[in-house]
Amino acid sequence: MPPSMSQAEREEFLAAVHVGVLSVASGDGRGPLAIPVWYTYQPGGTVNVSTGRSTRKARAIEAAGRFSLCAQDERPPYKYVTVEGPAVIEESNAPERLELARRYLGTEGGDAFIAANPGSADDVLIRMTPERWLSVDYGRS
């Protein structure tokens, strides 16, 4: 069995910058929707994703009431954390959108991204409360 991470290790890993893969039941007779996303997370908090209310992922999460997110390190020795739980959809807010953009693009790049993509009334923030975790760290013996 591959070595798993402790709770503190997996939360620290998830809080680091990774592109996550969000998965949610599509409910349309097809397989689950899996899509790369930017996200924020602080240990003990929620996993937060920003998107448009009318996107396929937002509609699927609203219908399912939950989603999964997988973050991985593709460099050997490989690691990953998968977290799943219930989700709520809230109105988006400018400070959190800016925080998310800066997290992935740096201050200058994040500011430029927000200036070029100022958002709309359709924007939402999806917050998932971690309920189930899976983790592997192949660097551990």
Side-chain angles (χ1 to χ4, degrees):
M1 174 173 234
S4 64
M5 297 178 200
S6 69
Q7 178 178 343
E9 289 168 331
R10 69 185 183 212
E11 289 194 74
E12 180 180 333
F13 182 86
L14 190 62
V17 177
H18 302 280
V19 172
V21 176
L22 182 151
S23 298
V24 60
S26 63
D28 56 9
R30 300 188 294 189
L33 173 65
I35 188 163
V37 295
W38 293 350
Y39 70 93
T40 60
Y41 174 74
Q42 294 297 319
T46 58
V47 175
N48 308 304
V49 176
S50 179
T51 192
R53 183 178 302 279
S54 60
T55 62
R56 186 171 171 221
K57 72 176 158 266
R59 291 189 321 264
I61 291 168
E62 186 170 36
R66 60 193 316 109
F67 69 90
S68 298
L69 183 94
C70 180
Q72 65 182 8
D73 186 344
E74 296 146 354
R75 297 166 297 173
Y78 307 107
K79 299 178 187 181
Y80 73 83
V81 169
T82 298
V83 61
E84 181 258 333
V88 295
I89 298 177
E90 302 176 353
E91 296 302 316
S92 184
N93 66 61
E96 285 194 84
R97 287 188 70 244
L98 181 58
E99 175 191 359
L100 185 61
R102 286 178 172 176
R103 173 177 162 88
Y104 285 90
L105 302 173
T107 301
E108 187 176 318
D111 291 351
F113 178 85
I114 293 298
N117 302 280
S120 72
D122 187 54
D123 292 341
V124 294
L125 188 67
I126 302 170
R127 297 187 192 277
M128 181 254 284
T129 301
E131 194 174 71
R132 293 186 185 94
W133 297 77
L134 295 172
S135 63
V136 169
D137 180 352
Y138 288 105
R140 299 173 66 127
S141 336

